[in-house]
Amino acid sequence: MEVIVVERPEDAAPIVADAYSRLLAAKPDAVLGLATGSTPLGVYDELVRRYEAGELTFASARAFLLDEYVGLPADHPERYRAFIERVFTGRVDLRPDAVQGPDGLAEDLSAAGVAYDAAIREAGGIDLQILGIGADGHLAFNMPMSSLTGRTRLKTLTPKTRLDNARFFDDDLDQVPRHCLTQGLGTIMESRHAVMLGFGLNKAQAVRECVEGAVSARWPASVLQLHPHATVVVDAEAASQLTFREYYRTTYDGKPDWQGI
Ligand code: F6R
């Protein structure tokens, strides 16, 4: 696991965007794994900037979302499929039919989870998966005590998550879905490169536990310690509880530019 400590969240965007640029230059039809939430927005903005500057094209790429609410109507603005289109995929030249998310409107949700993992496999697997860490260490909707080897499946949202997300539903808890389909930690672990971002003091404990603590379902993102190519990019606040943060800084500063992440 490579840990990169930057000063501010905006310093992370070019580092992560460089990973996309390198990947797409080598493999224009790469398969991208996309997260929603606020953490990756700076990276998406930087990718859009590079696309608009003619430095990057996604025309042959494909993308898979991490998760989706169950039961929100197809035209609901808070569906993750709609969210990602607003903040990223609709702003670059990714073909709309090249972007997929778990089918939260499927009649058979278990079968939809299995079909989603199969679709990722058929696409050749995810080359670059971007992730945001939750304050309790969750990854996608794999909350504490989720299986470390789970596949895409139906999960029940915790009361805390529903409360946190009520802000996107007119602060009306009744409107917040109770269930979701989420890639499992096992699915996420099959990505060829996993890049997890964490910003702000409220992520500091989770970053400490997941990066330097024991691998445990108690802190789901700790499973990335077992990933053969995981990169964690955190700002100074999120890194504030890391014992080895100076070591991470020195190591990254001494890395040759051509190596990338
Ligand atoms: C997003 C997702 C979530 C978020 C996490 C952090 O698709 O599955 O795990 O990455 O909740 O959320 P933010 O980035 O809003 O702090």
Side-chain angles (χ1 to χ4, degrees):
M1 174 184 272
E2 178 177 30
V3 184
I4 301 173
V5 180
V6 294
E7 208 42 48
R8 301 156 309 159
E10 52 270 37
D11 301 328
I15 295 172
V16 180
D18 280 353
Y20 284 83
S21 296
R22 282 169 193 266
L23 171 66
L24 289 163
K27 186 178 179 186
D29 59 350
V31 181
L32 310 177
L34 302 178
T36 54
S38 52
T39 308
L41 294 180
V43 171
Y44 295 151
D45 284 346
E46 174 62 12
L47 293 175
V48 171
R49 192 196 64 71
R50 291 184 188 196
Y51 161 69
E52 286 173 346
E55 298 166 15
L56 205 54
T57 173
F58 298 86
S60 307
R62 301 184 59 177
F64 287 88
L65 300 192
L66 271 181
D67 38 22
E68 184 57 275
Y69 289 119
V70 164
L72 285 186
D75 59 353
H76 197 292
E78 293 309 325
R79 283 184 80 213
Y80 284 166
R81 188 69 177 74
F83 177 91
I84 203 72
E85 200 176 314
R86 272 198 308 277
V87 302
F88 178 47
T89 60
R91 300 167 66 203
V92 297
D93 57 350
L94 255 167
R95 296 184 327 276
D97 65 352
V99 183
Q100 286 189 60
D103 182 4
L105 289 170
E107 263 181 41
D108 184 340
L109 291 162
S110 302
V114 173
Y116 195 63
D117 275 352
I120 292 174
R121 252 194 318 273
E122 271 159 34
I126 290 173
D127 291 297
L128 176 51
Q129 175 66 61
I130 192 164
L131 300 155
I133 186 172
D136 58 3
H138 70 248
L139 269 193
F141 274 125
N142 297 282
M143 298 297 162
M145 307 322 294
S146 290
S147 162
L148 295 178
T149 58
R151 313 297 315 175
T152 302
R153 67 210 182 291
L154 178 65
K155 294 286 279 182
T156 303
L157 298 179
T158 61
K160 168 86 169 75
T161 304
R162 291 186 64 236
L163 208 57
D164 286 348
N165 292 3
R167 65 189 195 279
F168 301 114
F169 294 85
D170 305 323
D171 284 319
D172 177 1
L173 197 56
D174 289 339
Q175 287 186 43
V176 186
R178 290 177 185 278
H179 300 101
C180 64
L181 278 173
T182 181
Q183 282 191 32
L185 295 172
T187 315
I188 292 168
M189 286 293 284
E190 283 170 4
S191 60
R192 281 184 271 277
H193 185 191
V195 177
M196 185 178 80
L197 309 177
F199 304 136
L201 271 183
N202 71 323
K203 304 288 174 78
Q205 185 192 12
V207 166
R208 182 192 71 211
E209 296 293 345
C210 295
V211 170
E212 294 182 343
V215 174
S216 160
R218 170 65 188 84
W219 295 96
S222 65
V223 74
L224 291 180
Q225 292 181 37
L226 302 174
H227 194 292
H229 188 186
T231 308
V232 175
V233 189
V234 285
D235 70 353
E237 288 190 348
S240 58
Q241 295 186 23
L242 288 173
T243 304
F244 297 107
R245 61 180 184 281
E246 289 317 317
Y247 164 73
Y248 304 135
R249 280 206 166 102
T250 315
T251 310
Y252 184 66
D253 287 350
K255 208 173 157 180
D257 281 349
W258 47 262
Q259 202 176 342
I261 62 172

